[in-house]
Amino acid sequence: MTAITLTINGERTPLEVEPRTHLGDAIREQVRLTGTHLGCEHGVCGACTVLLDGVPVRSCITFAVACDGQEVRSIEGFEEDVAMAQLRDAFTKEHGLQCGFCTPGMLIASRDIVLRIPDADEERIRHELSGNLCRCTGYVGIVKAVRSVIVTRQAMSRTAPVAAKPTVEAKPFAAFTPAAPVATQSVTAAVSDTARQGWTRFEENFVIRRTPAEVWEVLKDFPTIAAALPGAELIEHDDAHVKGRMKVKLGPIAASFAGSAQVERDDKALIGMVRGAGSDSGSGSRTKAEARYQVTPHGDGEAKVTLTVEYNLQGPLAQFSRSGLAQDLGRRIVGEFAANLNARLGGGPAVAAAVALDAGNMVGAVLWMRIKGIFTALFGNKT
Amino acid sequence: MKPAAFEYLKPRDLPEAAAALGAEGSKLLGGGQSLGPMLNLRLARPSLLVDVSKLDSLRRIEETPDLWRIGGSVTHAQIEDRRGSLPGIEMMAEVAAGIAYRSVRNRGTIGGSLAHADPAADWPLALAVIDATVIASGKAGSRKIPADRFMIATFTTELKADEIIEAVEVPKLSASARTGYFKFCRKTGEFPEASAAIVLDGPRRVARLFIGALNGAPQSLPALAAAVAEKGMAAASKEAIVAALKAAAPELDAVGLRMHAGAVTRAISQAVGP
């Protein structure tokens, strides 16, 4: 517990909080100011909006410990406030609320609009209020209420309507020849296509500077693969089965998937099929993945490995999915794996380890195709 | 929706912050507007948060003859409120005003957003197109990284574990420079599906066009930028834009291609259109 002092609605308030306690919980649970409502608790709905040092913030993604010494004003702290009184009346008159859940946040955001943008028209009000969600009113009443307060305040202060923006004489664009163009960053194509309902499919390929037959043999050797695959740890294996764990750190997200897989190989066609499943105990997410890999001749005595991964992800991490992030991570893992494998096989210099993959987590190995599928699955669910 | 337990440190200065960041499980905290949701959803479970948002040295906006130096802990709202008083980089205030919502902009910081490196975020794109420089400070001192090379991939940047974005240096554009910035958002304030930005500065002979909201870092469309500088809207045909997009971001599917083409067209039109 950490001792902090907040000035809440004008009153100096010492509190003992855990670092993880967010401001909304601190004022609701400890100070019993329950007017601040917690809706989504991840910064989307705006219901928990309070003033911190005079400006609106989302109390659910503001940690109380970070506010030590600051002034907090919650919905209970506006009794003497003229603008808030006007807004309360207007919300009542214009039917700016029904269930009332969003109202505390709505009022605090509206007051900020009224004071900060004293000439806001309906479009601007709608724009500025877009971070506060209301599921009852359809916003019409709320927007009318805010607009009516703005009109009232303009009349009260007898301010002249804001002059139209001065029209700047638009000069035509003057063409010019730029200096040497900037270099383009290289990108590898990643094809994505949906294979079956709820599954995501993508393809990657890379070249290893060894013959297809040599590469095929290497791909049978789990410890060698493991050593080249960052973040992987081999737990046990035989010819066709493997158990392992892999840690990947993607920005602030760290996950550790444990699982097992089976491998089928066609030694003539140089095609392999891996089927596996795993789970991340931290997030309680589960995944199933299948990967098909094929080794084909490429150029002068080199081998191209083509990889097609299909995966399905369930659990909390799936909710975070954003299309495309999976491919990007997959591409980096494959790229680093290929570089490491080339270096290990003496086919080329080691490429600097991708900074994306947390060096501290690079331990051992696992069957890389399946793992790639799993970790790719973590961060995207493009369907 | 409560985060897993963590320790919290408010360092007095950059060296103390850098020292703390060396520890396993430590994570830098800026305004917390991206990290906060990840913590609440328990996607991120750091053991220590090092809060640099209150460091005074990181909260200043300073002007030199050639550039603006914006501290890493300057909030989006601070930049938004400098509308009309950031000569040479007016575009920055416009970009800031379009980030999420005011209650987010009041806490979210430019350094935090850059370091978080969400592919769809505004600052990685805007600072790349305007050719800003990131000043990173760590145990080994500070170094400069061009903003267009700073982001490597999703949530991944050039920053080392102990480094903090001290500031970004944004070069002043000429008075006659043209800029355009457009993003497609399904809902106001949400992360965009596609984004594009252009800077055409004739006196400085700079033509830069970037697209954002990709799978990874923003990408440059240098040939198209040069063509637009030389020929204006005439160079921005649908075919030319689609060809440039396919070269810069081959991973774009049909929808992505179309949305990015729209964003590029509108950004160019803002800059050179009638």
Side-chain angles (χ1 to χ4, degrees):
Chain A
M1 295 294 234
T2 307
I4 59 167
T5 302
L6 303 177
T7 301
I8 302 176
N9 301 330
E11 199 167 318
R12 205 170 163 277
T13 312
L15 296 172
E16 290 269 327
V17 294
E18 277 191 80
R20 64 171 169 165
T21 304
H22 62 63
L23 183 59
D25 269 347
I27 59 179
R28 282 177 56 87
E29 304 292 329
Q30 295 198 29
V31 196
R32 296 294 177 195
L33 291 171
T34 55
T36 298
H37 291 169
L38 297 173
C40 71
E41 268 194 305
H42 63 291
V44 172
C45 76
C48 68
T49 306
V50 299
L51 296 188
L52 182 63
D53 283 353
V55 298
V57 303
R58 304 187 157 191
S59 63
C60 74
I61 50 173
T62 300
F63 294 110
V65 70
C67 304
D68 188 20
Q70 291 186 272
E71 287 187 16
V72 178
R73 198 169 183 189
S74 69
I75 192 65
E76 293 91 345
F78 291 92
E79 275 192 36
E80 311 297 323
D81 189 82
V82 175
M84 193 59 99
Q86 292 172 323
L87 282 163
R88 275 197 302 266
D89 290 347
F91 268 59
T92 304
K93 184 166 172 248
E94 302 290 352
H95 192 46
L97 70 153
Q98 185 174 308
C99 82
F101 197 90
C102 72
T103 311
M106 245 348 141
L107 283 169
I108 290 176
S110 298
R111 179 178 173 277
D112 177 59
I113 296 169
V114 164
L115 299 180
R116 185 165 52 87
I117 316 162
D119 61 339
D121 59 10
E122 184 187 328
E123 188 185 342
R124 184 78 194 271
I125 292 166
R126 285 184 174 275
H127 187 91
E128 294 287 337
L129 269 182
S130 61
N132 290 70
L133 303 185
C134 171
R135 298 288 81 145
C136 300
T137 65
Y139 305 100
V140 174
I142 297 171
V143 174
K144 269 190 177 173
V146 176
R147 179 65 192 152
S148 75
V149 170
I150 284 173
V151 170
T152 303
R153 292 176 68 86
Q154 282 176 331
M156 280 169 57
S157 62
R158 291 194 200 88
T159 46
V162 175
K165 284 177 187 167
T167 46
V168 181
E169 191 67 28
K171 290 180 193 161
F173 171 67
F176 65 96
T177 304
V182 294
T184 316
Q185 291 177 354
S186 65
V187 190
T188 316
V191 181
S192 168
D193 192 12
T194 303
R196 34 186 153 159
Q197 190 79 37
W199 287 62
T200 300
R201 176 179 178 274
F202 71 91
E203 200 175 294
E204 293 278 348
N205 62 70
F206 57 88
V207 173
I208 297 290
R209 296 183 202 96
R210 281 285 185 260
T211 66
E214 284 175 295
V215 170
W216 183 251
E217 285 307 310
V218 167
L219 290 179
K220 285 182 181 173
D221 183 39
F222 292 130
T224 299
I225 289 172
L229 185 65
E233 181 188 0
L234 193 59
I235 294 171
E236 60 178 65
H237 70 96
D238 57 30
D239 281 354
H241 297 85
V242 62
K243 269 191 185 176
R245 172 178 293 281
M246 186 160 155
K247 296 178 182 177
V248 164
K249 189 173 170 185
L250 180 62
I253 302 171
S256 175
F257 269 67
S260 60
Q262 294 184 35
V263 190
E264 293 166 31
R265 300 186 191 88
D266 180 338
D267 286 327
K268 284 181 184 163
L270 305 190
I271 292 173
M273 187 61 149
V274 188
R275 292 186 177 87
S279 62
D280 171 38
S281 58
S283 68
S285 299
R286 301 173 307 283
T287 186
K288 284 186 275 188
E290 296 184 6
R292 180 186 185 275
Y293 59 102
Q294 181 167 21
V295 182
T296 51
H298 177 84
D300 189 18
E302 296 179 338
K304 180 171 146 184
V305 181
T306 304
L307 173 72
T308 310
V309 177
E310 286 184 47
Y311 66 85
N312 164 286
L313 181 69
Q314 293 177 323
L317 286 169
Q319 296 173 16
F320 176 69
S321 296
R322 283 245 306 272
S323 79
L325 304 193
Q327 287 178 17
D328 198 56
L329 180 67
R331 192 164 67 221
R332 282 183 290 138
I333 292 177
V334 171
E336 186 170 351
F337 174 78
N340 288 343
L341 206 56
N342 267 322
R344 178 165 282 257
L345 297 176
V351 174
V355 276
L357 304 165
D358 183 16
N361 283 337
M362 291 182 195
V363 277
V366 159
L367 191 59
W368 64 273
M369 283 70 87
R370 187 182 74 78
I371 291 304
K372 182 192 169 220
I374 290 169
F375 284 93
T376 299
L378 266 181
F379 305 109
N381 192 16
K382 188 166 188 169
T383 53
Chain B
M1 308 293 274
K2 314 294 181 192
F6 54 77
E7 297 294 313
Y8 173 90
L9 175 72
K10 199 180 280 185
R12 279 154 299 180
D13 50 30
L14 280 175
E16 189 186 348
L21 283 171
E24 175 75 21
S26 62
K27 177 82 185 84
L28 200 63
L29 173 69
Q33 300 301 285
S34 293
L35 186 59
M38 284 188 172
L39 290 167
N40 284 9
L41 293 165
R42 299 204 177 193
L43 290 167
R45 297 158 174 256
S47 52
L48 170 70
L49 286 186
V50 181
D51 182 357
V52 295
S53 66
K54 304 291 196 312
L55 288 178
D56 283 338
S57 63
L58 269 58
R59 300 176 75 184
R60 291 194 275 265
I61 299 178
E62 292 160 332
E63 185 179 13
T64 75
D66 306 323
L67 55 84
W68 285 92
R69 191 176 195 276
I70 299 176
S73 293
V74 167
T75 64
H76 314 317
Q78 271 178 279
I79 300 171
E80 174 186 17
D81 291 345
R82 292 290 294 260
R83 263 180 171 154
S85 63
L86 285 175
I89 58 165
E90 289 84 356
M91 184 182 132
M92 295 280 291
E94 297 302 321
V95 170
I99 297 172
Y101 317 104
R102 181 72 184 187
S103 57
V104 169
R105 299 197 289 275
N106 279 329
R107 286 192 72 70
T109 65
I110 188 168
S113 171
L114 263 184
H116 184 67
D118 191 304
D122 288 275
W123 290 130
L125 173 66
L127 292 168
V129 79
I130 209 165
D131 202 10
T133 302
V134 179
I135 315 290
S137 168
K139 285 176 191 156
S142 75
R143 64 189 178 114
K144 296 190 173 192
I145 308 162
D148 60 3
R149 294 212 311 268
F150 178 74
M151 182 174 167
I152 296 169
T154 301
F155 303 146
T156 307
T157 70
E158 289 283 353
L159 278 187
K160 298 195 178 87
D162 65 315
E163 284 184 321
I164 296 153
I165 296 178
E166 197 178 339
V168 290
E169 290 182 348
V170 189
K172 287 182 185 172
L173 305 182
S174 311
S176 63
R178 300 293 188 98
T179 62
Y181 190 92
F182 189 86
K183 54 178 179 172
F184 277 120
C185 301
R186 293 185 63 149
K187 171 184 174 288
T188 306
E190 281 290 345
F191 278 119
E193 310 279 315
S195 57
I198 184 169
V199 167
L200 296 170
D201 190 346
R204 290 168 64 239
R205 292 183 66 213
V206 169
R208 296 166 71 87
L209 172 56
F210 279 71
I211 51 170
L214 299 167
N215 294 351
Q219 294 294 323
S220 174
L221 277 57
L224 183 61
V228 171
E230 285 168 0
K231 302 188 190 94
M233 272 320 277
S237 68
K238 189 181 166 189
E239 294 72 26
I241 290 170
V242 167
L245 285 171
K246 281 183 171 168
E251 76 273 20
L252 287 176
D253 61 12
V255 174
L257 201 57
R258 191 160 182 156
M259 297 201 71
H260 278 86
V264 168
T265 307
R266 293 185 196 196
I268 293 174
S269 174
Q270 282 176 19
V272 304

